[in-house]
Amino acid sequence: MAGPKPGSSAKTPKAGGKKKEVKKETGLGLTNKKDDNFGEWYSEVVVSGEMIEYYDISGCYILRPWAMSIWETMQVFFDAEIKKMKIKNCYFPLFVSPGVLQREKDHIEGFAPEVAWVTKSGESDLEVPIAIRPTSETVMYPYYSKWIRGHRDLPLKLNQWCNVVRWEFSHPTPFIRSREFLWQEGHTAFATKDEADTEVLEILELYRRIYEEYLAIPVIKGKKSEMEKFAGGLYTTSVEAFIPNTGRGIQGATSHCLGQNFAKMFEINFENEKGEKAMVWQNSWAYSTRTIGVMVMVHGDDKGLVLPPKVASVQVVIVPVPYKDADTQGIFDACSVTLDTLSEAGIRAEVDARDNYSPGWKYSHWEMKGVPLRIEIGPKDLANNQVRAVRRDNSAKKDIPRASLVEQVKELLDSIQQSLFDAAKVKRDTCIQVINTWEEFTEALSQKKMILAPWCDEEEVEKDVKTRTKGEMGAAKTLCSPFEQPELPEGTKCFASGKPAKKWSYWGRSY
């Protein structure tokens, strides 16, 4: 993918001088197929699609502009929405003192294996090692205790956009499981549990919208089991996605009600309206750059990335297709006019006017990068006062008269966005299997299904399922209990224990 980057306007190649060699062989194809070797395909597509570059420290990755622009698009949406909820942005330090980190025992036990420590300054050992935040509850809450005194100080609603470090040792994967990643984390405190409960679901709905409306990925909203909830929290809600190729669920984002546990540990008390001392109710919630990896896994194909138009930094790429004896200047001028027309209408467009690459090479290049729509302009299009549009998602071609260019391009982009979601939902839904017995469960698991099963909601039973399903592929666990519960007929038994079932839960292997 070396070579000059596409310019923002079309320039005709200079006449005279040494003729440039035009590259026709693309050499851009992926060597791995998505269905044959998913892991290798994914590693290849995130690099070839210019999303990341590998770094010389394992588990750390360089996010290139093509990926950062997607993160920024989601950030703009989410930031505006939380500001409507009167949540304010702040920034807390990256470093945590050991004393503070260990205040909440369940919490630190959940994160302990992943905490990175600074132990030296130059050649000298630090007297007290300093932790690097794996999450910021223990960083922020000593100051919530200082800032919250009375009921008028509530609610306190803060969010920060930052990086966190979790020193993962199991199979680092770009975006999905890395040692450093970007996220937002919200931390809020309320006078009542009702207020906290309401916000948990409001934030979860924003996460659903990020996945479904922006990334075109269907998700299931639900509650985590006691075993899978956030360490030290009261309960955890999540949006769960599913990767059909690997048969694995993936936690898309989480919204936790922390209850009063952290308030107790950090003495976050206030005087209520009756003059009585009370403890606050707290939430924390986050989504990360993992979202981008889920998007690549769900939509990508054997040609490369497939980007939903809403998050693509380039929604339309315009490629001039001059033939011998064609009006080359006219074609390049038409490309420039097309660019201006689309840009003025708020469509993110770019012209690839590089003269040392053939049109075919450019097609492959932009397909690899997942640009939703390609516009080709050749002699025939010039003569007919039209452009040819080619969709990335299904390769469908359409000739568009210049007079209705903006209107039809907008329609096509909307159609691509919806089609990507619909196709992903059909694939996901065909992987969901409803079961009632252990035999049906193990069979569905071997077929890489997302399993909906009646469950007695007992932690020991979940532990037993994990133990009984351990193997090369990893153990099965609960993904979530969906908020939209199917009817549970009276007398329904738990698939794993035979005890009376209390709810339906999704089970499967996960990332």
Side-chain angles (χ1 to χ4, degrees), residues 64-319:
R64 299 184 65 180
W66 205 242
M68 276 305 291
S69 62
I70 294 170
W71 180 243
E72 286 168 348
T73 297
M74 293 187 286
Q75 187 176 20
V76 166
F77 160 74
F78 189 80
D79 204 60
E81 291 297 322
I82 61 173
K83 280 174 179 159
K84 289 178 195 171
M85 295 167 67
K86 307 295 184 216
I87 294 160
K88 294 181 168 67
N89 284 325
C90 63
Y91 185 79
F92 278 73
L94 178 68
F95 302 114
V96 198
S97 66
V100 169
L101 190 63
Q102 286 153 7
R103 285 270 285 279
E104 212 301 317
K105 292 287 185 284
D106 288 342
H107 179 69
I108 187 53
E109 276 174 24
F111 284 101
E114 301 173 354
V115 176
W117 293 88
V118 179
T119 58
K120 288 177 90 74
S121 165
E123 292 302 311
S124 311
D125 290 335
L126 293 184
E127 203 171 307
V128 179
I130 296 169
I132 299 174
R133 62 175 170 227
T135 179
S136 296
E137 281 75 9
T138 58
V139 179
M140 298 169 82
Y141 297 166
Y143 300 92
Y144 279 41
S145 169
K146 185 178 180 180
W147 299 335
I148 296 168
R149 287 283 179 258
H151 63 87
R152 289 182 185 85
D153 299 322
L154 293 170
L156 178 60
K157 303 201 276 189
L158 301 180
N159 175 69
Q160 65 174 357
W161 295 92
C162 63
N163 62 339
V164 286
V165 173
R166 295 182 185 174
W167 212 253
E168 297 274 5
F169 285 99
S170 60
H171 309 299
T173 306
F175 297 115
I176 302 298
R177 195 170 282 284
S178 56
R179 287 179 168 172
E180 180 193 8
F181 54 87
L182 301 180
W183 75 350
Q184 61 66 221
E185 50 176 326
H187 295 269
T188 52
F190 300 92
T192 65
K193 184 174 184 289
D194 282 351
E195 290 172 282
D197 288 337
T198 299
E199 188 203 61
V200 164
L201 296 182
E202 285 175 347
I203 293 293
L204 197 70
E205 172 60 11
L206 293 181
Y207 292 151
R208 181 202 67 78
R209 289 182 63 192
I210 284 171
Y211 274 95
E212 297 197 343
E213 295 177 15
Y214 281 79
L215 299 172
I217 295 166
V219 290
I220 292 163
K221 291 203 285 190
K223 190 175 176 182
K224 289 286 192 184
S225 68
E226 284 299 298
M227 211 169 132
E228 292 295 325
K229 75 178 184 182
F230 183 70
L234 180 63
Y235 65 86
T236 290
T237 67
S238 68
V239 288
E240 299 286 330
F242 189 74
I243 311 298
N245 289 74
T246 58
R248 289 182 186 274
I250 187 157
Q251 180 177 287
T254 47
S255 184
H256 316 285
C257 179
L258 302 178
Q260 294 180 308
N261 200 16
F262 285 88
K264 191 175 179 182
M265 296 300 165
F266 290 94
E267 298 174 6
I268 311 174
N269 303 312
F270 71 102
E271 193 176 277
N272 66 20
E273 287 167 332
K274 296 174 186 171
E276 302 160 341
K277 188 179 172 185
M279 277 192 300
V280 298
W281 292 84
Q282 288 176 274
N283 294 338
S284 69
W285 29 269
Y287 81 95
S288 75
T289 38
R290 169 176 274 206
T291 47
I292 299 171
V294 180
M295 177 202 72
V296 174
M297 288 181 164
V298 169
H299 299 309
D301 62 19
D302 291 342
K303 290 180 180 177
L305 300 169
V306 179
L307 301 183
K310 267 198 166 183
V311 295
S313 61
V314 177
Q315 295 170 313
V316 180
V317 64
I318 303 156
V319 180

Side-chain angles (χ1 to χ4, degrees), residues 50-68:
E50 298 181 358
M51 298 286 270
I52 64 126
E53 188 59 74
Y54 283 89
Y55 194 58
D56 66 355
I57 294 172
S58 174
C60 297
Y61 309 96
I62 298 162
L63 300 191
R64 299 184 65 180
W66 205 242
M68 276 305 291

